Amino acid sequence: MALAVKAAIDEKGQLIAEAGTGTGKTFAYLVPAILGGGKVIVSTGTKTLQDQLFQRDIPLVRDVLRVPVTVALLKGRANYVCHYHLERTRHEGRFLRKEDIADLQKVERYAKVTQSGDKAGCTGVPEDAPIWPHVTSTRDNCLGTDCPNHKDCFVLKARKEAQEADVVVVNHHLFFADVWLRDEGAGELLPACNTVVFDEAHQLPEVASLFFGDTITSGQLIEIARDARSEGLVIAKDFVKLPQAAEALEKAVRDFRLVFKPEPARFPLHQVSELPGFAEGLAAMLECLTTLQALLAAQAERAESLENAARRAHELRETLTNWQKGDDEESVHWIDILSHGFMLHATPLNISKIFQKQLKGHPRAWIFASATLAVNGKFTHYQHELGLWDAQTGTWDSPFDYKKQAVLYVPPNMPEANSPGFTGKVVEQAWPLLKLTHGHAFLLFTSLRAMRETYDLVTQRLKDEKLDWPVLLQGQGSRTELLDQFRRSPNAILVASQTFWEGIDVKGEQLSLVVIDKLPFSPPDDPVLAARIEQMNKEGRSAFVEYQIPHAAIALKQGAGRLIRDETDTGILMICDTRLVDKPYGKLLWKSLPPMYRTREPDTVKRFFEAKRNHAPQQDQSPEQTS
């Protein structure tokens, strides 16, 4: 794989590389990229992997190769403490909970001693704490060179280091928002770069779709209202219309959210436009935003901050106006209803042309690496989505002996996946295996409803059988907290949805069983999927074969990949959806999975696992040595 990456770098070409778990794909792309000279950007799917690359993997490769490369870590500006907003929040003191005041004091202490300002280094304040939006900046509310703390800005410092470094580690969201689309000050990174590596590249089509489209959120609208009110009270105290208009916009945004039910959901614009109160709510929001923008523009000469707010209000009004016009041939307009807000999206139906056009802008190497890109050994689906028709492709299988290490079990006598009692049956069939492995299990679901139902059923079963095993539920803490708890707790059972299907690494017998309830087909009511299916079918293509099956295969491969993470791991993968064996397309799906021993007999599963457990080598080493 390293040789294939080197060839792509030498030729300034494109390489799609699927490398199974345990191949060492990170080293396979880092070694040739670092030895190749020139500037390298490595983009990852998650901030966790970003930190791992920066703190562990790249320093290790650099030391072994003895190459004096400099490395920088660059995150989105919302990850860095902002001196100006920290001070402003301390003065305003609008807090709903006493925990927020305690968190603010911790952030203040951290800001005085930190070199990076990265919120990940602020111990004692969770990454999702409500205080963070108040003490970090956004592209919209950054004062730029007019900021009184401009010289001490952590964001500018991180960007300066990134400009000067040989290797820059970013994540996909930052890459598209800042580096590629040049929305912010990181746009100069790409022109100077010789090689771009996307790790966890299977996430790119979804992330690219988001950034090649337009989005406006309730948070952005409320933020412009609050900033306009704050700036107005400080700079334009005599202009009472400004805070009034800000409050009117904030109320209109909250009223618009009330048009929808409390539960999160997604709808295409054409479907919700008939809802009672929708048209009126949207019109009121647009009218209030237009009024606020006009008032800000009238006061813009008073201060840079008011001029900045007027520009933001104008951009938001343009986006909102375009969104309400509805779908066109190129894009689908839809709304994402969140628990306490909403997001309005215009998403392109086909990103391959846009992506391909950007790739041809400047000759450099592009490496797309992941453990899950191919479907039954072919990359056609991925190439089609991103327009990578000229790319070289390669597959490097995992070195693990899956046939001896893992068993794939599809239980017999399961009802159809969409039948009412399906989730209860999943728990019933999984229960003997949970007892066999003494917990140590991930139960993964394709819906939140099934996840919650299973949590209740498993908790009750444990109670009935007087088993004191911890059951962890997604949402009861951050992903990191739940994982740490799972790793520490004997007999733990984690019940989760697709948040835990990828990017999770638990080695050893602590994870011995992974249960997946259904084949992970995207819900057909997803607005973007529905529009893409309709477009492909109109073109005379089979959306199911060309789009839905490949997506399901890659997602299933991700979920299955949680089980075997090391040469000494053994375990059971139970997939409860009989379409995997009954439907003609099922073969394509299981052929895309690692080549585990396959059975439908519960007794065979039991014998397999007990034989493995009885013959498992005694491990004297510490976890650090074995990993």
PDB file of all heavy atoms in Angstrom, residues 494-508:
ATOM      1  N   LEU A 494     -23.315  -2.324  25.856  1.00  0.00           N
ATOM      2  CA  LEU A 494     -23.592  -0.985  25.323  1.00  0.00           C
ATOM      3  C   LEU A 494     -24.694  -1.087  24.281  1.00  0.00           C
ATOM      4  O   LEU A 494     -24.584  -1.857  23.326  1.00  0.00           O
ATOM      5  CB  LEU A 494     -22.332  -0.389  24.693  1.00  0.00           C
ATOM      6  CG  LEU A 494     -22.525   0.943  23.955  1.00  0.00           C
ATOM      7  CD1 LEU A 494     -22.768   2.082  24.941  1.00  0.00           C
ATOM      8  CD2 LEU A 494     -21.317   1.283  23.102  1.00  0.00           C
ATOM      9  N   VAL A 495     -25.767  -0.312  24.468  1.00  0.00           N
ATOM     10  CA  VAL A 495     -26.879  -0.289  23.519  1.00  0.00           C
ATOM     11  C   VAL A 495     -26.822   1.054  22.793  1.00  0.00           C
ATOM     12  O   VAL A 495     -26.890   2.109  23.423  1.00  0.00           O
ATOM     13  CB  VAL A 495     -28.240  -0.448  24.249  1.00  0.00           C
ATOM     14  CG1 VAL A 495     -29.368  -0.571  23.249  1.00  0.00           C
ATOM     15  CG2 VAL A 495     -28.212  -1.667  25.170  1.00  0.00           C
ATOM     16  N   ALA A 496     -26.670   1.008  21.469  1.00  0.00           N
ATOM     17  CA  ALA A 496     -26.413   2.254  20.735  1.00  0.00           C
ATOM     18  C   ALA A 496     -27.027   2.217  19.342  1.00  0.00           C
ATOM     19  O   ALA A 496     -27.452   1.170  18.859  1.00  0.00           O
ATOM     20  CB  ALA A 496     -24.911   2.495  20.639  1.00  0.00           C
ATOM     21  N   SER A 497     -27.049   3.375  18.702  1.00  0.00           N
ATOM     22  CA  SER A 497     -27.500   3.457  17.306  1.00  0.00           C
ATOM     23  C   SER A 497     -26.268   3.665  16.432  1.00  0.00           C
ATOM     24  O   SER A 497     -25.148   3.410  16.859  1.00  0.00           O
ATOM     25  CB  SER A 497     -28.504   4.604  17.135  1.00  0.00           C
ATOM     26  OG  SER A 497     -27.810   5.835  17.096  1.00  0.00           O
ATOM     27  N   GLN A 498     -26.449   4.213  15.231  1.00  0.00           N
ATOM     28  CA  GLN A 498     -25.342   4.243  14.270  1.00  0.00           C
ATOM     29  C   GLN A 498     -24.188   5.174  14.645  1.00  0.00           C
ATOM     30  O   GLN A 498     -23.152   5.152  14.006  1.00  0.00           O
ATOM     31  CB  GLN A 498     -25.884   4.538  12.878  1.00  0.00           C
ATOM     32  CG  GLN A 498     -26.482   3.251  12.283  1.00  0.00           C
ATOM     33  CD  GLN A 498     -27.211   3.470  10.977  1.00  0.00           C
ATOM     34  OE1 GLN A 498     -28.291   4.030  10.977  1.00  0.00           O
ATOM     35  NE2 GLN A 498     -26.643   3.030   9.876  1.00  0.00           N
ATOM     36  N   THR A 499     -24.335   5.960  15.706  1.00  0.00           N
ATOM     37  CA  THR A 499     -23.222   6.777  16.204  1.00  0.00           C
ATOM     38  C   THR A 499     -22.031   5.906  16.578  1.00  0.00           C
ATOM     39  O   THR A 499     -20.877   6.319  16.479  1.00  0.00           O
ATOM     40  CB  THR A 499     -23.674   7.566  17.465  1.00  0.00           C
ATOM     41  OG1 THR A 499     -24.897   8.223  17.172  1.00  0.00           O
ATOM     42  CG2 THR A 499     -22.646   8.571  17.903  1.00  0.00           C
ATOM     43  N   PHE A 500     -22.307   4.678  17.038  1.00  0.00           N
ATOM     44  CA  PHE A 500     -21.240   3.784  17.498  1.00  0.00           C
ATOM     45  C   PHE A 500     -20.865   2.725  16.456  1.00  0.00           C
ATOM     46  O   PHE A 500     -20.167   1.773  16.773  1.00  0.00           O
ATOM     47  CB  PHE A 500     -21.660   3.101  18.804  1.00  0.00           C
ATOM     48  CG  PHE A 500     -21.513   3.992  20.011  1.00  0.00           C
ATOM     49  CD1 PHE A 500     -22.458   4.951  20.306  1.00  0.00           C
ATOM     50  CD2 PHE A 500     -20.408   3.890  20.835  1.00  0.00           C
ATOM     51  CE1 PHE A 500     -22.321   5.791  21.412  1.00  0.00           C
ATOM     52  CE2 PHE A 500     -20.251   4.715  21.946  1.00  0.00           C
ATOM     53  CZ  PHE A 500     -21.214   5.669  22.223  1.00  0.00           C
ATOM     54  N   TRP A 501     -21.327   2.905  15.214  1.00  0.00           N
ATOM     55  CA  TRP A 501     -21.021   1.905  14.175  1.00  0.00           C
ATOM     56  C   TRP A 501     -19.611   2.068  13.629  1.00  0.00           C
ATOM     57  O   TRP A 501     -19.090   1.170  12.983  1.00  0.00           O
ATOM     58  CB  TRP A 501     -22.021   1.995  13.014  1.00  0.00           C
ATOM     59  CG  TRP A 501     -23.352   1.390  13.311  1.00  0.00           C
ATOM     60  CD1 TRP A 501     -24.156   1.671  14.378  1.00  0.00           C
ATOM     61  CD2 TRP A 501     -24.047   0.401  12.549  1.00  0.00           C
ATOM     62  NE1 TRP A 501     -25.301   0.923  14.323  1.00  0.00           N
ATOM     63  CE2 TRP A 501     -25.264   0.136  13.207  1.00  0.00           C
ATOM     64  CE3 TRP A 501     -23.760  -0.286  11.367  1.00  0.00           C
ATOM     65  CZ2 TRP A 501     -26.199  -0.784  12.729  1.00  0.00           C
ATOM     66  CZ3 TRP A 501     -24.689  -1.195  10.881  1.00  0.00           C
ATOM     67  CH2 TRP A 501     -25.898  -1.448  11.558  1.00  0.00           C
ATOM     68  N   GLU A 502     -19.004   3.243  13.839  1.00  0.00           N
ATOM     69  CA  GLU A 502     -17.662   3.418  13.281  1.00  0.00           C
ATOM     70  C   GLU A 502     -16.784   4.248  14.210  1.00  0.00           C
ATOM     71  O   GLU A 502     -17.268   4.936  15.109  1.00  0.00           O
ATOM     72  CB  GLU A 502     -17.728   4.060  11.891  1.00  0.00           C
ATOM     73  CG  GLU A 502     -18.387   5.412  11.828  1.00  0.00           C
ATOM     74  CD  GLU A 502     -18.341   5.985  10.421  1.00  0.00           C
ATOM     75  OE1 GLU A 502     -17.290   6.538  10.051  1.00  0.00           O
ATOM     76  OE2 GLU A 502     -19.337   5.892   9.703  1.00  0.00           O
ATOM     77  N   GLY A 503     -15.460   4.144  13.976  1.00  0.00           N
ATOM     78  CA  GLY A 503     -14.507   4.938  14.745  1.00  0.00           C
ATOM     79  C   GLY A 503     -14.345   4.499  16.187  1.00  0.00           C
ATOM     80  O   GLY A 503     -13.859   5.257  17.013  1.00  0.00           O
ATOM     81  N   ILE A 504     -14.758   3.263  16.510  1.00  0.00           N
ATOM     82  CA  ILE A 504     -14.673   2.747  17.873  1.00  0.00           C
ATOM     83  C   ILE A 504     -13.683   1.587  17.898  1.00  0.00           C
ATOM     84  O   ILE A 504     -13.760   0.689  17.069  1.00  0.00           O
ATOM     85  CB  ILE A 504     -16.058   2.223  18.350  1.00  0.00           C
ATOM     86  CG1 ILE A 504     -17.130   3.300  18.205  1.00  0.00           C
ATOM     87  CG2 ILE A 504     -15.982   1.695  19.763  1.00  0.00           C
ATOM     88  CD1 ILE A 504     -16.992   4.469  19.116  1.00  0.00           C
ATOM     89  N   ASP A 505     -12.782   1.613  18.869  1.00  0.00           N
ATOM     90  CA  ASP A 505     -11.749   0.570  18.927  1.00  0.00           C
ATOM     91  C   ASP A 505     -11.693  -0.011  20.340  1.00  0.00           C
ATOM     92  O   ASP A 505     -11.170   0.624  21.248  1.00  0.00           O
ATOM     93  CB  ASP A 505     -10.397   1.195  18.542  1.00  0.00           C
ATOM     94  CG  ASP A 505      -9.344   0.140  18.239  1.00  0.00           C
ATOM     95  OD1 ASP A 505      -9.707  -1.051  18.157  1.00  0.00           O
ATOM     96  OD2 ASP A 505      -8.168   0.503  18.100  1.00  0.00           O
ATOM     97  N   VAL A 506     -12.262  -1.214  20.527  1.00  0.00           N
ATOM     98  CA  VAL A 506     -12.188  -1.908  21.821  1.00  0.00           C
ATOM     99  C   VAL A 506     -11.554  -3.269  21.565  1.00  0.00           C
ATOM    100  O   VAL A 506     -12.155  -4.122  20.916  1.00  0.00           O
ATOM    101  CB  VAL A 506     -13.586  -2.092  22.459  1.00  0.00           C
ATOM    102  CG1 VAL A 506     -13.466  -2.814  23.800  1.00  0.00           C
ATOM    103  CG2 VAL A 506     -14.282  -0.749  22.653  1.00  0.00           C
ATOM    104  N   LYS A 507     -10.340  -3.447  22.073  1.00  0.00           N
ATOM    105  CA  LYS A 507      -9.622  -4.705  21.832  1.00  0.00           C
ATOM    106  C   LYS A 507      -9.838  -5.688  22.973  1.00  0.00           C
ATOM    107  O   LYS A 507     -10.188  -5.305  24.081  1.00  0.00           O
ATOM    108  CB  LYS A 507      -8.122  -4.422  21.686  1.00  0.00           C
ATOM    109  CG  LYS A 507      -7.779  -3.677  20.403  1.00  0.00           C
ATOM    110  CD  LYS A 507      -6.321  -3.357  20.314  1.00  0.00           C
ATOM    111  CE  LYS A 507      -6.043  -2.534  19.052  1.00  0.00           C
ATOM    112  NZ  LYS A 507      -4.734  -1.938  19.040  1.00  0.00           N
ATOM    113  N   GLY A 508      -9.605  -6.979  22.683  1.00  0.00           N
ATOM    114  CA  GLY A 508      -9.643  -8.008  23.718  1.00  0.00           C
ATOM    115  C   GLY A 508     -11.049  -8.498  24.019  1.00  0.00           C
ATOM    116  O   GLY A 508     -12.006  -8.136  23.337  1.00  0.00           O
TER     117      GLY A 508
END
